[in-house]
Amino acid sequence: MTTEPSKSDNHKQDASAPEPAATSPLLQTGDAQAAGSASIDIDKPDKQIVLDMASDIVAPGDSAVAQGAVDASKLTTAEKTDAPANAKDKGKTEISNNGGEASDQEDFISVDSAADALQEVSLDGGAKAPATGSSALTGSVTVSDLGVSKPSPAEVAAAILLKDAETARAFGSRGFHGSGESDRTAISPLGESSTSPRGQPEIAELSDDGGSVDEEEDMEERQRRLFRLAEKRRQQKERMAQTAVSSEEIEIMRSGLSSARECVAPVELRIINGSYPEGLRGSLYCVGPGRFEVAYNVQRELEQATRMFHFGHIMDALPMLSKVSFDPKQATVTYRSRLIAKQAASRVQAEHGVNTKVPGALYMTDTNQTFLNKFIPKASHYSTPEGESCGQDIQLFMPLQGTNQTIVCTNHVGALQNVDPVDLRPRAIVELRDINPEFKGSLSCPHMQYDSNTREHFTVMQDIGFRSTTYTVVAISESQPEGYVVASFVAQASVLHSFAITQDYIVVPVYPYTAPIGGMSYRWGDSLLETLSFDSTRPVHFYVISREYRRVQCVYQAPAFFAMHQVNAVQESATDSISIDLVAYEDDAVLRRLMVKDLRRPSVDFSVPSGYARRYQLSGVTMEATKFVESKGRPSLFPPAHMLLLRVESIELARINPMVAARPYTFMYGLSHVERLQGLPAHIASTTMYNCIVKLDVNNSSAAPLVWSRKHCYPSEPVFVPHSDKEDDGYVVSVFFDSMRITSCLLVLEAKTFKELMIAQLPSAVPLSFGHAKFSI
């Protein structure tokens, strides 16, 4: 005669539950702790999970044995002796014909038989006659031994599909009590009874008194309870998987191109090297990529999965804005950051990709959208303050929406994001064409130019047509916040990242690009670099525009090259010429090499091309302006622009002292590769992002460059902060990424000697980027 396990036995069994599983030492999160507290084996196959749940009902010594569902006369003497022990083993050992116990790896009932047993347990607790045709399992307690009826095929299929969350919903599954992240209650080991919100066992024991409850409703309730258990186990397995860090993820983290974690509240930084720089005050604003992937859910009839949308190009990633504040009175440095395109990320989750609003809105990213999405209206999607990705440059205190107390982040499709300069909270998204209807074009130059004397902000817009492209130079100032058009001209389409200004002129370089099928491919394309092709057989044209007369004065031409960033432009009245300094490349390969997957895992032959500081001399502007009018702008009469190589050392993201902007200067500061500065070939040197900061004397090519570098450290764009009227008296501020420690630090150098003054550790890693920074005093 068998006895029913007492409640005290159940308490003892709960106390003997396995210890919580250990989580990853690299990521200790609340989810990891919740998943780790569950006494489950997440490595079991999905069919085994079904079996384990079936054993909760039919396990020897548990519900069925307690209620006398198994005839004790059928058991051998050894089996009768082992029955109480089997009740404590929670159904993990099998009753053998020879009285022995099978191992944990081989003693489970098959999944089909488990499904049969799950559905064939009598609803009223009584034993029924064995179903005709039921088969016995060798060495196991069979369904016929239990004396239960044969289920329908639909019920068996439902039990096998317990792992599918969508099937759980189809059976009417509701939220499991305590499934939230704040609940730390562990699931009981298999075979134990877990307590429901009403204080009743989650899987009720079978009753042998018959009862008057409807059998169909009772079966559906049992299925719901089992599905809730399966859903909670699935959620805990997902949380465990999220906290685990694979070698592939560590490799991505070390590359400096993993998604960032924002730090909304200000945090005082800990100085780990040096001391606070005397006299340094103000705020450093940095913008760059923040999220390279966005997870979204795929929900179908029999499938629920989480997939990842990847931004292909580093400039397409969703941006993060950072602020570093220097307080000389307290000698403290504080840091805060914010992801400023969260609503754009939510839209990616909802649409399973990027639904672009204009052609060429991305540099090179697969949108994961169908062709029909191009016909869906999208204006309302971008009206929210964080609905647009603006992460290519920063403008300080630009007059926008009735105030100049703003930080404006820009992109290459004419969007301006108004950001609060204190807490970095986005206020609104404003498009250039909404400021003034005469601002026409779907593309714009993300690097706006600012004239500190007139307090005007300039940019260039492109309206790419089927046969020609119209360029419109526009300006916004405090006196004219509604803006005005400086000049317009027609030229070939181009990828324009920056341009130059002087006191009297605006110089727009138009690089040689072609649009296949007369611009048709651009109109229907999402990625700019896929719709425009660089043509090295055609020249570069420099359009010189008069700020006073608001028209094109003349056009110069030079052999094909490509540039992303201008360094400076100087107007020389004595020679009636304009000198333009920029970082030049042979073609646009540098822009096409900035793919996230290549930078994360560079191949053997991968490398970022080297750029060099060049000066293009545009001589006799006044005289050429007269010829331009007389020839009616014929390209065959365009004068040449003479090129001078300033330094043989490679450089990128070059900056100068802002006090000498549009004036003759001596020093430039930028990023480079240490190996290439040492003369090593490009294919042997560092193949990915820049690993040093360099200071070059542009007037003395024989002067040795000053270099700052640390092993496994990759700095961002250096910003010069002046300390006095002397050109190189000041500080060079940058944020570098440490790939060994997987963290970022703030760096302050003395500009004259490149001596380290301070290194302060940031609370989280900041991704590497081609982003930009501005310093506000």
Side-chain angles (χ1 to χ4, degrees), residues 586-597:
E586 296 298 327
D587 52 29
D588 68 343
V590 62
L591 197 58
R592 299 179 183 274
R593 297 283 180 89
L594 298 179
M595 303 299 294
V596 176
K597 63 177 182 179

Side-chain angles (χ1 to χ4, degrees), residues 38-114:
S39 303
I40 59 177
D41 184 3
I42 65 172
D43 294 328
K44 290 183 179 180
D46 294 329
K47 289 188 176 182
Q48 189 60 55
I49 295 177
V50 179
L51 171 64
D52 292 345
M53 293 183 183
S55 66
D56 288 347
I57 296 179
V58 301
D62 201 11
S63 303
V65 177
Q67 299 299 332
V70 178
D71 189 355
S73 62
K74 294 183 179 181
L75 301 179
T76 64
T77 305
E79 290 167 346
K80 294 179 181 180
T81 306
D82 293 337
N86 291 336
K88 297 182 180 180
D89 287 340
K90 300 302 176 185
K92 290 187 177 181
T93 56
E94 173 184 294
I95 302 177
S96 176
N97 286 337
N98 59 7
E101 295 180 352
S103 65
D104 289 342
Q105 302 296 331
E106 302 175 353
D107 59 3
F108 292 109
I109 304 173
S110 68
V111 64
D112 295 332
S113 299

Side-chain angles (χ1 to χ4, degrees), residues 253-254 710-714 736-745 765-766 768:
M253 294 167 66
R254 291 195 185 281
R710 278 176 174 260
K711 194 174 183 180
H712 307 299
C713 293
Y714 302 87
F736 68 85
F737 174 77
D738 187 340
S739 63
M740 290 300 295
R741 300 166 58 213
I742 313 181
T743 187
S744 294
C745 296
V766 177
L768 300 177

Side-chain angles (χ1 to χ4, degrees), residues 278-293:
E278 182 180 357
L280 181 58
R281 63 182 180 88
S283 297
L284 175 70
Y285 295 91
C286 307
V287 67
R291 295 184 66 178
F292 298 94
E293 299 93 9

Side-chain angles (χ1 to χ4, degrees), residues 323-341:
K323 176 184 178 182
V324 181
S325 300
F326 298 88
D327 185 356
K329 295 182 179 180
Q330 303 293 331
T332 58
V333 184
T334 57
Y335 171 85
R336 71 194 311 165
S337 62
R338 186 184 293 271
L339 297 170
I340 57 176

Side-chain angles (χ1 to χ4, degrees), residues 290-353:
R291 295 184 66 178
F292 298 94
E293 299 93 9
V294 176
Y296 63 91
N297 294 326
V298 177
Q299 297 181 353
R300 298 176 181 173
E301 183 177 357
L302 294 177
E303 177 185 8
Q304 177 177 349
T306 299
R307 296 182 181 176
M308 199 71 68
F309 175 83
H310 298 269
F311 291 96
H313 199 274
I314 193 173
M315 294 185 183
D316 293 334
L318 300 181
M320 183 176 73
L321 181 62
S322 304
K323 176 184 178 182
V324 181
S325 300
F326 298 88
D327 185 356
K329 295 182 179 180
Q330 303 293 331
T332 58
V333 184
T334 57
Y335 171 85
R336 71 194 311 165
S337 62
R338 186 184 293 271
L339 297 170
I340 57 176
K342 295 177 183 176
Q343 290 164 331
S346 299
R347 192 169 63 250
V348 172
Q349 291 177 332
E351 299 174 355
H352 300 177

